[in-house]
């Protein structure tokens, strides 16, 4: 059975979403314009706060993740995979990566999209301070039903 988790976050006036290889949400309350991959602040948790079922599923080389960002009815889907190299130990940040790079902030690797791919209407809503959710579903090998 897939593992599921929903994480709330807020927009910020400095959301740019122009990074070509990553998407990030953070528990930090503010954001500088240099954080071009960050799409949300004041998130409910970082990687370390994820439920154990999600953590265990993501730390498997055969797992696949489907993530939906929902901001004011606008939805953006990202797919990626888990890895036994993921430590999920950062208490502040959650980073989705197109590459295979893994560090304590990395949630998934091999992503299908980055922040630059996020619909500009969604980015504008986030710049205006809209709240959002990141809904994550993690599947074991052969379990994906979407």
């Amino acid at each position: 059975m897939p593992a599921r988790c929903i994480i709330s976050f807020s927009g910020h006036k400095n959301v740019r979403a122009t990074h070509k290889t990553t998407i990030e949400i953070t528990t930090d309350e503010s954001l500088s314009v240099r954080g071009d991959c960050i799409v949300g602040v004041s998130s409910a948790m970082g990687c370390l706060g994820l439920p154990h079922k999600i953590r265990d599923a993501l730390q498997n080389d055969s797992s696949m993740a489907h993530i939906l960002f929902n901001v004011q009815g606008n939805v953006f889907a990202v797919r990626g995979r888990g890895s036994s190299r993921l430590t999920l130990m950062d208490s502040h940040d959650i980073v989705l990566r197109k590459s295979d790079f893994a560090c304590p902030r990395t949630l998934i690797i091999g992503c299908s999209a980055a922040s630059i791919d996020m619909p500009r209407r969604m980015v504008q809503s986030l710049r205006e301070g809209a709240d959002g959710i990141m809904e994550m579903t993690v599947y074991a090998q052969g379990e994906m039903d979407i």
Side-chain angles (χ1 to χ4, degrees):
M1 174 170 257
R4 299 185 198 285
C5 179
I6 294 176
I7 302 169
S8 61
F9 62 91
S10 297
H12 187 277
K13 66 181 179 179
N14 290 331
V15 168
R16 292 177 46 213
T18 56
H19 203 277
K20 295 179 180 167
T21 62
T22 61
I23 302 171
E24 179 178 341
I25 62 172
T26 181
T27 61
D28 294 343
E29 294 178 3
S30 64
L31 167 63
S32 77
V33 293
R34 291 181 46 205
D36 61 349
C37 69
I38 300 172
V39 300
V41 298
S42 300
S43 66
M45 68 188 72
C47 286
L48 188 60
L50 293 167
H52 289 291
K53 186 174 180 181
I54 289 280
R55 293 171 60 83
D56 291 345
L58 287 170
Q59 292 174 318
N60 184 316
D61 290 325
S62 66
S63 65
M64 297 297 295
H66 186 234
I67 296 178
L68 294 175
F69 288 91
N70 190 324
V71 178
Q72 294 186 330
N74 295 299
V75 178
F76 176 61
V78 180
R79 292 180 191 230
R81 62 184 195 277
S83 171
S84 57
R85 296 181 297 112
L86 299 177
T87 64
L88 306 168
M89 294 301 290
D90 193 277
S91 61
H92 298 283
D93 302 331
I94 292 177
V95 181
L96 292 68
R97 301 182 187 277
K98 282 184 143 183
S99 72
D100 288 340
F101 179 76
C103 75
R105 302 167 59 226
T106 306
L107 178 74
I108 57 175
I109 58 175
C111 288
S112 60
S115 66
I116 197 165
D117 302 310
M118 188 172 270
R120 294 298 101 179
R121 171 182 256 169
M122 181 180 283
V123 173
Q124 184 59 39
S125 293
L126 290 167
R127 276 191 195 126
E128 294 169 359
D131 291 332
I133 60 167
M134 185 178 95
E135 182 177 351
M136 177 181 359
T137 306
V138 183
Y139 301 86
Q141 184 175 20
E143 187 178 58
M144 199 156 175
D145 59 5
I146 56 173

